[in-house]
Amino acid sequence: MTVSSHEILVLDAAEVSRLFPMKEAVRVMETALAALARGEAVQPLRTFMFTKDGAGILGLMPAQLQTPAALGLKAVTVFPNNARLGLDTHQGAVLLFDAGTGRLLALLDGGATTAIRTAAVSAVATAHLANESATELAILGSGVQARTHLEAILCVRKIERVRIWSRTPEHARALAEEMAERYQLEVIPVRQPELAVREAHIIVTVTAAKTPILYGEWLAPGTHLNAVGASLPDARELDTQAVKRSKLIVDSVESALAEAGDILIPISEGAFTPDHIHATLGEIIIRAKEGRTTASEITLFKSLGLGIEDVAAAQFIYQRAREERMVNERDERGEEVKR
Ligand code: NDP
């Protein structure tokens, strides 16, 4: 048996960001979620382990997409104390394999991939579910996801005003200043989440909160909400009323019923049953299920994050890198054809 060495593309966060512009990411995520809804993907539930000291989580997220053919795995770590060290709390790597031979093609920075693809998925949900006339955006949280979410939502709606709340008021103020400058927008830091949410047409929750920071009684008719934080069964950002009042859309029903405290806690309280989940985002995209049907209904997209999103992102980025000749061409056995 011979084992030939081959080139593995390694991309750091800056290269991932450069090769995966938000507008393209929105399109790639929409295609991937549609493929999942059509049954053209393999998407097992992710596995998690807590580190022995409980300070961190390591998650494994394998997935496969048929078209374009992509096979991969994200190994994601979450270390909340990183924030104090000035490091991103979410780290990791996305591995992309040749879908025909299983050979490793690329290793991408997992933090940057996650930051972009998650926000792009929320933009897809917003494009399909928010009222066309939505101009007021509220962001609860001021970390990595808050930044990419503003960029993503601006891709799909004409936002005129943004209100940002964060647990640490100084973080909300700093982010508001930075975003106002970058996008030439009115961005207002507020001291209470309610002040951000009451006037909003679109809301994004991107915090590491484990208990509710958003209450259903604050939601105005017609609001669209992307709930992105809280991805463990015992953690939630939304109170029961917020979920109960909303038409509930998820990325994956299987994940929602295994991981989403925002949904599982109200179910355990008897507030509603799993039937309260109206559809997956993919089903809305392919029009297998209806999305918003009236201007006044409240729509909620509960995002947990799926391996297919990372694998679709990695496949797109790898292709872009090939177009830029950052990596050699391959024949059908996966052997490199030298430039
Ligand atoms: P960051 O660590 O960059 O930011 C965390 C944010 O959460 C900060 O704004 C922080 O506020 C706030 N926060 C932390 N603890 C609390 C608390 N107890 N109550 C209220 N706010 C709190 O994280 P990211 O931006 O990378 O991720 C944000 C959330 O999104 C996380 O829950 C993460 O797990 C989730 N996520 C979801 C994904 C998905 O696909 N659905 C993918 C990636 C992340 P401050 O700094 O002001 O104190």
Side-chain angles (χ1 to χ4, degrees):
M1 192 181 81
T2 56
V3 181
S4 58
S5 67
H6 69 287
E7 191 184 17
I8 296 163
L9 178 71
V10 178
L11 295 177
D12 65 12
E15 284 167 324
V16 166
S17 301
R18 185 179 68 75
L19 292 165
F20 198 37
M22 189 58 81
K23 274 215 169 85
E24 302 274 25
V26 174
R27 186 179 55 74
V28 172
M29 291 305 112
E30 186 171 57
T31 305
L33 291 163
L36 180 65
R38 286 195 204 97
E40 297 163 3
V42 182
Q43 178 57 84
L45 207 54
R46 61 188 159 199
T47 54
F48 282 113
M49 61 165 252
F50 285 86
T51 59
K52 198 81 178 150
D53 60 3
I57 298 175
L58 171 63
L60 295 180
M61 303 169 67
Q64 182 189 6
L65 278 162
Q66 274 179 314
T67 328
L71 175 67
L73 162 77
K74 180 164 78 175
V76 59
T77 59
V78 185
F79 281 75
N81 290 338
N82 279 6
R84 279 197 246 127
L85 306 171
L87 294 171
D88 288 350
T89 52
H90 292 63
Q91 305 272 340
V94 185
L95 303 181
L96 182 70
F97 305 101
D98 183 301
T101 63
R103 297 181 85 181
L104 180 62
L105 300 177
L107 185 154
L108 278 58
D109 181 273
T113 309
T114 304
I116 299 167
R117 68 73 154 146
T118 307
V121 169
S122 294
V124 172
T126 303
H128 284 272
L129 294 165
N131 278 314
E132 285 289 342
S133 58
T135 55
E136 308 283 318
L137 171 65
I139 300 179
L140 307 187
S142 60
V144 169
Q145 290 292 340
R147 282 178 171 72
T148 49
H149 270 75
L150 177 52
E151 182 185 2
I153 303 298
L154 290 175
C155 291
V156 298
R157 285 295 180 275
K158 290 194 174 64
I159 298 299
E160 291 173 1
R161 202 167 297 99
V162 185
R163 292 179 182 80
I164 299 182
W165 170 84
S166 199
R167 177 183 63 171
T168 310
E170 177 51 32
H171 293 172
R173 205 179 56 74
L175 182 65
E177 266 177 30
E178 183 191 325
M179 295 292 111
E181 167 90 20
R182 179 174 307 167
Y183 298 110
Q184 295 298 301
L185 263 181
E186 188 179 352
V187 188
I188 307 162
V190 297
R191 290 241 162 204
Q192 303 295 333
E194 184 179 354
L195 298 176
V197 163
R198 283 258 186 219
E199 316 256 331
H201 304 140
I202 299 168
I203 301 169
V204 173
T205 61
V206 275
T207 75
K210 293 195 164 47
T211 52
I213 48 145
L214 187 149
Y215 290 83
E217 61 182 312
W218 301 343
L219 296 172
T223 305
H224 171 67
L225 170 56
N226 298 299
V228 177
S231 46
L232 291 171
D234 59 353
R236 60 172 169 172
E237 292 181 294
L238 317 179
D239 80 337
T240 296
Q241 188 65 6
V243 186
K244 198 172 172 183
R245 282 188 72 191
S246 303
K247 180 179 263 185
L248 175 59
I249 287 92
V250 297
D251 44 17
S252 147
V253 174
E254 188 189 16
S255 303
L257 295 178
E259 298 171 0
D262 284 310
I263 298 169
L264 292 169
I265 296 169
I267 289 176
S268 74
E269 291 168 347
F272 50 73
T273 65
D275 289 346
H276 186 56
I277 298 175
H278 167 71
T280 65
L281 183 52
E283 287 171 330
I284 304 281
I285 296 166
I286 66 168
R287 298 180 193 279
K289 297 257 177 81
E290 267 185 325
R292 171 180 293 281
T293 47
T294 68
S296 62
E297 74 185 328
I298 297 169
T299 51
L300 162 59
F301 171 57
K302 174 57 204 166
S303 165
L304 286 156
L306 299 173
I308 54 151
E309 297 162 6
D310 301 297
V311 171
Q315 200 280 338
F316 175 87
I317 293 165
Y318 182 73
Q319 208 49 46
R320 273 285 157 97
R322 279 180 59 167
E323 286 162 15
E324 290 193 6
R325 305 218 172 273
M326 290 171 74
V327 66
N328 286 325
E329 291 300 312
R330 289 169 188 280
D331 64 19
E332 69 280 3
R333 283 187 64 231
E335 298 296 342
E336 281 158 32
V337 181
K338 295 280 182 204
R339 296 192 280 266

